[in-house]
Amino acid sequence: MVYDKEMTSMSPQGPKSAPRQRATMRDVAELAGVGIKTVSRVVNDEPNVSPAMAERVRRAVTELMYQHNLAAGNLRRSDRRSLSIGLILANVANPFDAAVHRGVEDVANSHGVAVFSASTDENPDRERSLNAAFTARRVDGLIVVSANPTHDFLAADLEVGMSIVFVDRPPVGIEADSVLVDNFGGAAQAVEHLHSHGHRSIAFLGDRSTLWTARERHSGFLAALEKLHIDAANAPTIDNLSNEYVAEAAVRSLMEASEPPTALFAAQNLVTIGAIRALRSLGLEQEIALVGFDDLPLADLLQPGVTVIAQDPLQTGKLAAERIFDRINGDAGPAQRILVPTRFLVRGTGEIPPPS
């Protein structure tokens, strides 16, 4: 078959029509019979518009399916706000980060503000790049789970009025709000719990040692050993377990040693998953005690259930969001450090006694 080069593109329903042009503020003004400034006041929720005139504008907006351009609108707003905040997380696929995101989003929605989020994958350079990208888009504030050891690169943003709240890890080198979990106390409680069930050989399985949370949990672990007069030589430490697969291999190697520990403290949720897999593959899930830091989906349904120190990431996210909106709305007080307590959930693995 030969096609005419001038043939119109056809669909099964006929010729494709040109896409409809987006309505402009001028279109809304003409349909409503008002000035452009009146339309601007209505769509930006500003005062000094009569109820009847505001209703005419809203009807025109609906009829024309007008979508307000926030990027342009915030240049005309008296407060210069973009009605958006940036959320920089370690990994949005991690259940902890996902729950923090949800908490931030719930509070932001109640303020009519959008949340833009991204993952650093614990890469300090990527965090700096994301910070630059969000500030270039004029977000009203930043909530950060930081991978950087120091945060002086954010000083300029703070000086020009950017609101910044740190989550899970505190700021270093600058004064800024933070919402943190009681990592030290939770880790110490795990050791005391295992000790109360007869364990004197407890291994520490840690996250990246560059992370403040990992160091805090290890410090709490060591402090509890000292308090309980447990020789640290009986507490093997494996750090820098970056994911569940590395953790699984490390635990398998640890348990196959000539004198394996009788209990494990997994100081991060992905590390706990790796430890569970290793113990089950070795048939030791009923013989080696395990306490994990941070809860896991379905952890209560395993046999035995997994005893954990549970954080409340949803509440952590909500507190961080409430704090940043306080700042955005004018709170100029000194930086606050909000400490969120942990909960100890007894389910079975942490109560396994050592071999007689």
Side-chain angles (χ1 to χ4, degrees):
M1 180 181 293
V2 177
Y3 292 91
D4 188 334
K5 292 182 180 179
E6 301 300 323
M7 181 180 287
T8 303
S9 175
M10 299 287 287
S11 70
Q13 290 77 31
K16 291 183 179 179
S17 58
R20 176 177 175 174
Q21 295 295 314
R22 288 186 177 181
T24 66
M25 194 173 286
R26 186 177 299 279
D27 296 329
V28 174
E30 289 178 358
L31 182 59
V34 300
I36 291 179
K37 287 186 178 180
T38 300
V39 176
S40 177
R41 290 193 183 101
V42 173
V43 299
N44 284 305
D45 293 323
E46 295 178 359
N48 302 322
V49 180
S50 70
M53 193 172 290
E55 180 58 29
R56 281 161 50 193
V57 171
R58 294 191 189 101
R59 283 201 303 266
V61 165
T62 300
E63 183 175 338
L64 295 173
M65 294 185 288
Y66 171 73
Q67 293 179 321
H68 183 39
N69 185 341
L70 287 174
N74 76 320
L75 298 177
R76 293 188 294 268
R77 290 169 57 94
S78 59
D79 57 11
R80 291 293 193 269
R81 287 180 57 183
S82 65
L83 301 181
S84 64
I85 59 174
L87 174 59
I88 299 176
L89 300 165
N91 181 0
V92 294
N94 186 304
F96 176 86
D97 285 349
V100 169
H101 187 292
R102 184 69 215 210
V104 171
E105 193 174 63
D106 286 348
V107 174
N109 283 344
S110 70
H111 288 264
V113 169
V115 179
F116 302 135
S117 64
S119 301
T120 66
D121 296 324
E122 302 291 9
N123 183 324
D125 291 334
R126 177 163 170 75
E127 178 189 334
R128 289 171 180 254
S129 175
L130 288 170
N131 170 75
F134 283 146
T135 54
R137 285 163 176 76
R138 299 295 190 269
V139 294
D140 299 324
L142 280 174
I143 297 175
V144 184
V145 178
S146 181
N148 273 277
T150 183
H151 305 102
D152 51 356
F153 66 95
L154 291 171
D157 293 322
L158 288 170
E159 288 177 6
V160 298
M162 172 67 74
S163 301
I164 303 175
V165 175
F166 286 79
V167 170
D168 199 40
R169 304 156 191 178
V172 177
I174 60 172
E175 292 293 322
D177 296 312
S178 59
V179 180
L180 310 174
V181 173
D182 185 9
N183 296 282
F184 185 98
Q189 188 178 8
V191 175
E192 292 168 359
H193 182 80
L194 291 167
H195 178 270
S196 72
H197 285 81
H199 294 279
R200 303 297 182 268
S201 178
I202 306 168
F204 178 86
L205 309 173
D207 199 350
R208 299 173 180 87
S209 57
T210 56
L211 299 178
W212 180 83
T213 49
R215 296 194 301 272
E216 280 289 292
R217 293 169 194 177
H218 193 213
S219 294
F221 175 85
L222 293 175
L225 292 181
E226 183 178 0
K227 175 184 175 181
L228 297 168
H229 306 291
I230 298 176
D231 188 348
N234 293 327
T237 294
I238 306 177
D239 285 315
N240 300 307
L241 301 175
S242 56
N243 58 55
E244 62 265 42
Y245 307 107
V246 175
E248 180 181 0
V251 172
R252 287 182 64 90
S253 177
L254 184 65
M255 300 313 302
E256 290 170 348
S258 58
E259 294 186 16
T262 63
L264 306 175
F265 171 50
Q268 196 252 20
N269 55 3
L270 298 181
V271 175
T272 304
I273 292 172
I276 293 169
R277 287 175 174 164
L279 294 177
R280 288 182 174 272
S281 70
L282 296 169
L284 297 174
E285 69 272 18
Q286 301 281 356
E287 300 177 27
I288 301 297
L290 170 66
V291 175
F293 201 110
D294 203 10
D295 205 1
L296 303 168
L298 307 181
D300 57 326
L301 300 182
L302 296 174
Q303 290 296 329
V306 184
T307 296
V308 298
I309 302 141
Q311 304 184 70
D312 191 345
L314 182 69
Q315 179 65 9
T316 299
K318 288 182 176 180
L319 289 170
E322 289 167 357
R323 190 71 200 121
I324 206 158
F325 282 111
D326 286 344
R327 291 297 189 190
I328 290 170
N329 292 326
D331 184 344
Q336 295 185 9
R337 175 177 285 200
I338 301 169
L339 193 64
V340 182
T342 58
R343 293 179 300 129
F344 202 92
L345 303 181
V346 174
R347 292 179 177 143
T349 59
E351 296 68 56
I352 297 172
S356 58

